Amino acid sequence: MVEGGADGTGGLGSGVQRAQAFLVLATLLYRASHLLVGVAAVARHQAGRPVSWAVLATALGCSVLVHGAARRRGWFDRRAVVLDVLVTGCALPFAAYAWADTRDAPSIAWVMLLGGSSSAVAAIALRRWAALVSVLAVGAAHLVGYGMADAQVAVTVGHLNAVASSAAIALVFWWYLRRQGRLLDAATAQAVRAEAESARYAERIAHHRALHDTVLATLTAIAQGNVDANSSGVRDRCAREADYLRRLVQQSDEEAEGDPAPGRLGAGAALEDAVRDAEDLGLRVTTRYHALPALPSDVATGFGDAVREALNNVLRHAGTGRAYLTATGDDGHLLVTVVDRGAGFGPERAAATSGLGLRRSVHARMRDIGGAAEVDSAPGEGTCVTLRWPG
């Protein structure tokens, strides 16, 4: 199984996953070097022995099975590793001795060499006792094989040392790289938490300032008797600020479910900026938010600009002072509708009038961020602008 998980590293995987990928590549290169030695030995000294080529092909097949599966999965399949140990590490030396006429140490050495890469993979891919048994089995098979080939003691000891050293070095590398990967993952998680906390703090400050400049200022003026609380202007302002407070509560509920990853922004913040700009121009906007996702920064900015232009069109052309905005998210997707009950227009007017801002400011902005916009309108029946991301 691949260890680690998503960590916001832009597709590179966690530190542990990258350590695993490195070990898969390193052991693949190690096995490839042994296979090249085998190809050179067979081609030069045993080219007329079909069994030698069959032994080499079997070792190549086991290598493709083990390392091909590891490249696909991100880590080794234990069953494939055990098969490689039994076939490449233990059985092939005896097959070469019995049927390929490799009866002396020099001629059988290339088969024995494959045991080093076999034991290296077993040491890091199998559980502790299974790895130990596998390395001992390879060592025992090669001890017997060199004994049958009447190898000198120095040659046998040197080869057994290579088998054990390959396993030990691979195991040390795996321990070190996995440890460094976990430290990297911990540091990344801490940085993400710190950035999220900083973003939450900045957002709280922004909300506090907005509340100070709007709701608190209005309440203070009414409490001090500086304005007529029953005047239409004060009532309109109170209604707009009540809408703002409701949106603020909705955003807080949504954002409590999770923090945006680095390089992403909450969709609610971008939409709120557009709504506040429209309200500053006198438009009353009723909003409903649900399950808003975190978006890439450029997407959030482009979405907010498109919504702002849709609301501006209500102000300029709809003949009404009220709009309704609904935003919902689903599995990273975002759907926003901006509806008014104003004058509306026919399709021929939308095609002929660039001043509506739909073609240039709404459709173009959504296309730029990989989204889509649709407009549904009819004279006297208002307008509905639908924005989707992805398109």
Side-chain angles (χ1 to χ4, degrees):
M1 288 293 292
V2 177
E3 297 186 32
D7 62 348
T9 54
L12 294 176
S14 68
V16 173
Q17 288 172 330
R18 279 176 274 182
Q20 291 178 169
F22 176 82
L23 261 296
V24 169
L25 178 60
T27 53
L28 172 60
L29 295 175
Y30 190 36
R31 172 59 65 87
S33 69
H34 291 174
L35 289 172
L36 287 175
V37 171
V39 170
V42 173
R44 184 173 181 181
H45 302 293
Q46 304 170 25
R49 300 174 186 172
V51 175
S52 295
W53 289 108
V55 169
L56 185 60
T58 302
L60 178 61
C62 288
S63 303
V64 171
L65 177 64
V66 171
H67 293 281
R71 295 287 289 178
R72 289 192 304 271
R73 292 161 48 95
W75 194 235
F76 295 100
D77 181 274
R78 289 173 179 153
R79 292 169 298 182
V81 173
V82 170
L83 179 64
D84 182 61
V85 168
L86 294 176
V87 175
T88 305
C90 297
L92 289 187
F94 296 104
Y97 181 88
W99 297 308
D101 199 26
T102 54
R103 300 300 176 88
D104 55 16
S107 62
I108 204 174
W110 69 268
V111 187
M112 297 296 195
L113 189 62
L114 294 167
S117 53
S118 178
S119 65
V121 172
I124 62 176
L126 303 180
R127 300 186 186 278
R128 182 180 304 172
W129 290 109
L132 179 60
V133 169
S134 297
V135 174
L136 291 176
V138 172
H142 289 206
L143 178 63
V144 173
Y146 267 132
M148 294 169 61
D150 294 326
Q152 296 180 359
V153 174
V155 173
T156 303
V157 171
H159 178 78
L160 294 178
N161 177 67
V163 170
S165 297
S166 296
I169 292 172
L171 190 60
V172 169
F173 278 177
W174 175 223
W175 170 82
Y176 177 78
L177 290 172
R178 182 168 51 182
R179 180 175 178 272
Q180 295 302 114
R182 286 171 175 168
L183 291 175
L184 176 61
D185 290 341
T188 300
Q190 184 176 2
V192 169
R193 288 194 297 270
E195 185 172 346
E197 182 60 32
S198 177
R200 284 196 300 268
Y201 177 75
E203 187 173 5
R204 284 197 299 269
I205 294 298
H207 286 325
H208 292 165
R209 289 172 178 169
L211 289 172
H212 176 272
D213 295 339
T214 56
V215 178
L216 183 59
T218 301
L219 292 176
T220 300
I222 293 174
Q224 292 177 349
N226 295 332
V227 296
D228 181 5
N230 294 319
S231 68
S232 60
V234 172
R235 289 200 301 270
D236 289 342
R237 177 166 177 166
C238 289
R240 288 196 303 271
E241 292 171 359
D243 288 339
Y244 170 63
L245 286 176
R246 278 191 289 270
R247 293 195 302 271
L248 190 61
V249 171
Q250 288 178 348
Q251 289 183 62
S252 298
D253 291 342
E254 296 290 342
E255 291 164 2
E257 298 178 2
D259 298 318
R264 301 176 75 87
L265 297 174
L271 298 178
E272 181 59 27
D273 287 342
V275 171
R276 293 301 305 276
D277 288 347
E279 286 184 332
D280 289 341
L281 297 175
L283 183 67
R284 179 84 179 274
V285 184
T286 299
T287 63
R288 291 292 182 270
Y289 299 147
H290 176 68
L292 299 184
L295 304 175
S297 300
D298 59 330
V299 173
T301 300
F303 221 119
D305 291 341
V307 169
R308 182 178 290 104
E309 187 57 33
L311 293 173
N312 287 341
N313 273 305
V314 176
L315 280 166
R316 289 194 295 261
H317 305 291
T320 178
R322 192 175 186 97
Y324 303 86
L325 184 149
T326 302
T328 59
D330 180 22
D331 193 25
H333 295 62
L334 180 61
L335 174 66
V336 174
T337 59
V338 178
V339 178
D340 69 73
R341 299 171 183 169
F345 54 86
E348 67 283 352
R349 185 183 172 206
T353 309
S354 61
L356 288 174
L358 293 174
R359 186 186 307 115
R360 294 181 179 178
S361 298
V362 177
H363 289 284
R365 281 191 171 103
M366 293 305 296
R367 283 196 303 270
D368 289 345
I369 61 173
E374 298 175 6
V375 180
D376 183 18
S377 184
E381 296 185 8
T383 302
C384 175
V385 178
T386 302
L387 309 176
R388 292 185 177 85
W389 185 86

